[in-house]
Amino acid sequence: MNRETQAPAWAVWAAAWPITAVFMLSNIPTPLLGLWQERIGFSTGTETVIFAAYIGGLLLALPFTGALADRYGTRRVLVPALAAGLTSCALFMTATHVLTLIVARLLTGVAVGAALSAGTAAVAHVGGPDRRPQAVLAGSVAIGTGLATGPLLGGSVSQYWAAPTVAVFVLEGVLLLTALAVVHTLHLPPAPASREAPTAGWLRLPSVPRVNRRGLATSLMAYIPGMTGTSLLLALGPILLSSLLHTGNRLVTGGIGFMMFGASTGIQFAIKKLPLGRILTIAGVATGIAMLATATAVRTHSLALLSVAAILAGIGQGMGQYGGFSRLGTEVTPTRLAEANAALSAGGYLFAGILPILTGYLSDAAGIATSSTVFAALTGAAALGGSLLVNSARVRTPRPTGDTADAPPTAATAAGSARLTPNRPSHSGR
């Protein structure tokens, strides 16, 4: 893309709006779980299943949304995904049974999976090679913004508005309709017709070209603990606040989620010039300290310390997310980028769904204090261990291997062992 045809900066950020709208839907129900629990009646374990059901839908969607977007174009994936989000809103508004809530969350996960793979790739396509660093930042910030504003909107509306489970999803439905309008206006390239497009079938585990596998593995070491830590706090937040800290105010629940993902969003602007290796290393340390603070807050019944833990968890998640997407966005060829984003997301969300469910059912058996302490310790240990592994290995752009089965490397990939930072693809970092 030359300077005459380069997309303006505002277009890149506008292209990220559908991601924000979808990720708002993913977290809006969190403050409402306690309200549904009172109305319908279900256990803590069931509550975490409802929370994590969207991760199940996400993991079902990721194996084919990334490959379909690379093969047929991102718009053809995003439109039905937003339609799934609108259907989810309708189900939430009318839910009177646990199964309805689970199906609504599954559909939310389908929309989230498409936003993670096709949505982030669409932002990269709009930005083009000249705005690749800005596109990575816009896509990652859009995720954090949606995750932050979703629980705040859900908490404030459910606490102070009449018919909260209807009003909040009417508002979210309007936001999704505006996102649908944006998708129709994006200037996206036609679907690739070359052999670089996926040809081995559209239903498969998302992956990256062989030359990029080390970069994916390094990114996952920071991304998995960060996603798991924030999911743990989101899933258990209402329970912790009501049973240990003795507050049922849904705005407080939403506010903690807002602080957590607000920190996730803000930190990404602060770190965008740091070397990738340092970003991924610090991400693990922040998550590890957040989990230690979570366990301490539970034992001391401290709302202030739980708030600090949420902020640190958001910082760890935001840095891991930005570092991971930055590395893939810089190294992976554009015709495999949506699938590469899907591979990173699938790895992170798999554990982010499993651990909260296990914690919920352990809470039913042993109590919330014991379960949250045990799994916070496991997540913290994984985060610190991943940080050590990332720090011990140089984060470099790999050299082309000559493997004809993989897509040709991008210009950034050809940089060999040059040190790499998100804003300067031809430079380096550890």
Side-chain angles (χ1 to χ4, degrees):
M1 182 179 291
N2 57 41
R3 294 293 177 183
E4 288 73 17
T5 60
Q6 180 180 348
W10 65 264
V12 177
W13 289 98
W17 167 242
I19 302 174
T20 299
V22 168
F23 271 87
M24 286 181 68
L25 177 61
S26 73
N27 276 353
I28 277 180
T30 301
L32 298 168
L33 289 174
L35 187 60
W36 278 312
Q37 189 176 32
E38 293 174 6
R39 292 179 179 178
I40 300 173
F42 45 78
S43 68
T44 299
T46 302
E47 180 175 335
T48 55
V49 169
I50 294 170
F51 169 83
Y54 99 91
I55 297 179
L58 183 151
L59 294 174
L60 287 173
L62 284 175
F64 60 88
T65 54
L68 281 175
D70 286 334
R71 184 76 182 271
Y72 299 109
T74 53
R75 198 188 325 268
R76 292 183 179 179
V77 173
L78 288 174
V79 170
L82 289 168
L86 289 167
T87 305
S88 175
C89 288
L91 290 174
F92 278 126
M93 285 189 285
T94 58
T96 57
H97 300 283
V98 169
L99 183 59
T100 306
L101 294 174
I102 291 175
V103 172
R105 291 289 280 169
L106 283 169
L107 288 174
T108 300
V110 172
V112 169
L116 280 168
S117 54
T120 52
V123 177
H125 292 326
V126 169
D130 291 333
R131 292 201 184 275
R132 180 65 60 85
Q134 182 186 355
V136 171
L137 178 64
S140 190
V141 165
I143 293 172
T145 301
L147 291 172
T149 54
L152 185 63
L153 177 62
S156 58
V157 170
S158 65
Q159 186 66 33
Y160 299 112
W161 288 30
T165 55
V166 174
V168 69
F169 291 106
V170 170
L171 290 174
E172 172 62 16
V174 172
L175 296 178
L176 290 173
L177 287 174
T178 65
L180 193 62
V182 168
V183 168
H184 280 292
T185 63
L186 294 180
H187 295 287
L188 297 171
S194 72
R195 63 179 182 177
E196 293 181 19
T199 57
W202 52 267
L203 182 57
R204 63 183 184 187
L205 291 177
S207 63
V208 295
R210 185 173 301 173
V211 72
N212 303 123
R213 289 175 186 171
R214 183 183 177 189
L216 175 63
T218 304
S219 300
L220 285 170
M221 291 177 192
Y223 189 59
I224 289 176
M227 287 301 305
T228 303
T230 53
S231 291
L232 191 66
L233 285 169
L234 276 178
L236 297 180
I239 306 166
L240 289 172
L241 291 172
S242 62
S243 63
L244 298 179
L245 305 178
H246 311 296
T247 176
N249 190 304
R250 290 184 289 277
L251 182 57
V252 175
T253 303
I256 288 179
F258 176 79
M259 286 192 302
M260 182 162 62
F261 290 109
S264 170
T265 302
I267 194 66
Q268 294 177 53
F269 288 97
I271 64 172
K272 61 183 182 179
K273 293 185 179 180
L274 290 179
L276 285 181
R278 190 175 303 168
I279 290 173
L280 295 172
T281 299
I282 297 174
V285 173
T287 300
I289 297 174
M291 293 299 98
L292 175 61
T294 299
T296 306
V298 168
R299 294 296 175 179
T300 60
H301 294 199
S302 172
L303 178 59
L305 190 54
L306 185 64
S307 299
V308 171
I311 291 172
L312 287 171
I315 289 172
Q317 184 270 340
M319 294 183 76
Q321 174 181 288
Y322 179 75
F325 281 117
S326 289
R327 184 157 198 201
L328 296 181
T330 305
E331 295 178 4
V332 177
T333 181
T335 56
R336 294 289 300 276
L337 183 57
E339 187 180 2
N341 290 343
L344 178 66
S345 301
Y349 274 94
L350 177 63
F351 291 93
I354 292 173
L355 199 59
I357 291 175
L358 295 177
T359 307
Y361 280 106
L362 182 59
S363 297
D364 290 335
I368 184 66
T370 298
S371 64
S372 57
T373 300
V374 168
F375 287 104
L378 290 174
T379 304
L384 294 173
S387 182
L388 289 173
L389 289 173
V390 170
N391 191 54
S392 66
R394 291 183 179 274
V395 176
R396 295 177 175 179
T397 306
R399 294 182 181 277
T401 62
D403 184 358
T404 57
D406 291 325
T410 62
T413 308
S417 59
R419 294 172 61 84
L420 175 66
T421 63
N423 282 343
R424 295 181 298 276
S426 62
H427 294 72
S428 82
R430 183 182 168 122

